Amino acid sequence: MASQKVGFLDSGVGGLSVLLEVRSLLPHVDMHYIGDSAWCPYGTKSTEVICERVGKLAEYLISQDVSLIVVACNSATIQAVDWLRSNYPVPFVGTEPAVKPASARTQTGVIGVLATEASIGGKKFLDLIHSAAENVEVVTQACPGFVKLVENGVLSGPQVEEAVRTYTQKIIDKGADFIVLGCTHYPFLRETIENIVPPGITVIDSGASIARRVDSLLSDKTGSGQLLIETTGDLDRLKTLVPRLLGDIGKSAVLSKYSD
Ligand code: DGL
């Protein structure tokens, strides 16, 4: 029997932050990532458009024999994972903002969530807050500029610093001691975020818990560690970004353009 392969999808390169976590836990598993950079961002799109796009990407990954698909995108998970699960015959691992661990650990009773508009406005996100953060004040902030910065390879410097100051001010003022990175693009800006917010604030994301979930679902983890990364957008841009986002892990990756 062929070894199991894990598929990943995202609106662009953000889901590579999730792939990094899965890769560090499961270095031998084959992985096939597709980023929909031609349609990025998802965070400002309707549920219908997001479902249509992720449906196309999921069909493609299934045709390439993946055993499960990581929806490495909070916006797509919140808006479309239930639809994906009822329409396609493979397991889907979703990505939700880490509201649960932040709520369990907060000392001030206030947590901040940085995410896209599509995530913050989604029913699944509101349900998560109701169930996981009942006695906690959750301060949400949409950060439309972050995704563009990461897609353009701007991971540090004055533009990032200014955006971080703008998006975190309200959360800091409200007294949060946790900031949840509720979009998979944002961990690539983590260094600047951590440098700018006061030292008492812990910045967390969901990458490691997704990796543990993938691990628990795979029965065969003995692949040859192949890594294929595809984009619906610009291949040259992907070639520039992958070494910067994945470091050594990116060196063995095969990069290609996918057109649907
Ligand atoms: N990386 C995505 C997320 O986790 C989507 C960002 C976007 O396309 O707006 O929400």
Side-chain angles (χ1 to χ4, degrees):
M1 202 179 82
S3 57
Q4 291 183 295
K5 178 162 68 173
V6 176
F8 295 79
L9 61 84
D10 178 44
S11 64
V13 292
L16 292 174
S17 68
V18 179
L19 183 141
L20 269 175
E21 296 282 355
V22 180
R23 189 74 173 180
S24 75
L25 192 63
L26 300 163
H28 304 297
V29 169
D30 295 337
M31 298 180 183
H32 186 162
Y33 181 99
I34 182 154
D36 203 8
S37 291
W39 286 76
C40 191
Y42 282 177
T44 51
K45 300 209 164 51
S46 66
T47 307
E48 291 70 27
V49 171
I50 295 174
C51 285
E52 194 191 322
R53 289 308 305 162
V54 295
K56 284 205 163 101
L57 302 183
E59 272 167 36
Y60 171 58
L61 289 171
I62 292 166
S63 78
Q64 300 302 300
D65 293 327
V66 298
S67 304
L68 64 89
I69 295 176
V70 179
V71 182
C73 174
N74 294 265
S75 313
T77 300
I78 287 165
Q79 294 292 336
V81 79
D82 294 335
W83 179 85
L84 285 168
R85 287 183 176 131
S86 55
N87 281 279
Y88 297 100
V90 293
F92 287 91
V93 176
T95 306
E96 274 183 351
V99 167
K100 223 178 274 178
S103 299
R105 290 166 58 197
T106 177
Q107 297 293 311
T108 62
V110 184
I111 67 166
V113 180
L114 303 176
T116 68
E117 284 169 55
S119 291
I120 289 170
K123 180 176 179 307
K124 219 176 170 59
F125 179 67
L126 298 175
D127 289 348
L128 176 69
I129 290 181
H130 282 298
S131 65
E134 220 182 351
N135 300 313
V136 170
E137 184 182 356
V138 181
V139 185
T140 57
Q141 174 67 54
C143 315
F146 276 175
V147 169
K148 205 182 266 175
L149 289 167
V150 175
E151 289 289 320
N152 288 329
V154 184
L155 307 180
S156 59
Q159 274 178 282
V160 179
E161 287 160 19
E162 197 190 321
V164 170
R165 284 202 184 87
T166 306
Y167 295 143
T168 56
Q169 195 57 57
K170 181 177 72 179
I171 291 170
I172 295 168
D173 290 347
K174 292 262 187 181
D177 57 353
F178 276 83
I179 290 183
V180 175
L181 303 182
C183 168
T184 55
H185 282 74
Y186 303 172
F188 291 119
L189 306 176
R190 177 194 288 270
E191 208 176 299
T192 307
I193 297 171
E194 286 181 336
N195 284 339
I196 282 180
V197 301
I201 296 183
T202 305
V203 177
I204 61 168
D205 63 60
S206 7
S209 72
I210 294 164
R212 288 192 295 273
R213 177 80 184 129
V214 171
D215 184 31
S216 74
L217 290 173
L218 291 179
S219 52
D220 179 351
K221 301 159 195 172
T222 61
S224 52
Q226 282 173 19
L227 181 53
L228 172 59
I229 302 176
E230 297 195 274
T231 180
T232 60
D234 185 59
L235 181 57
D236 287 333
R237 181 178 289 187
L238 185 71
K239 284 180 179 162
T240 319
L241 280 173
V242 163
R244 299 187 57 208
L245 300 179
L246 294 187
D248 280 350
I249 287 174
K251 284 186 184 150
S252 63
V254 174
L255 309 182
S256 79
K257 162 95 180 165
Y258 172 71
S259 309
D260 61 24

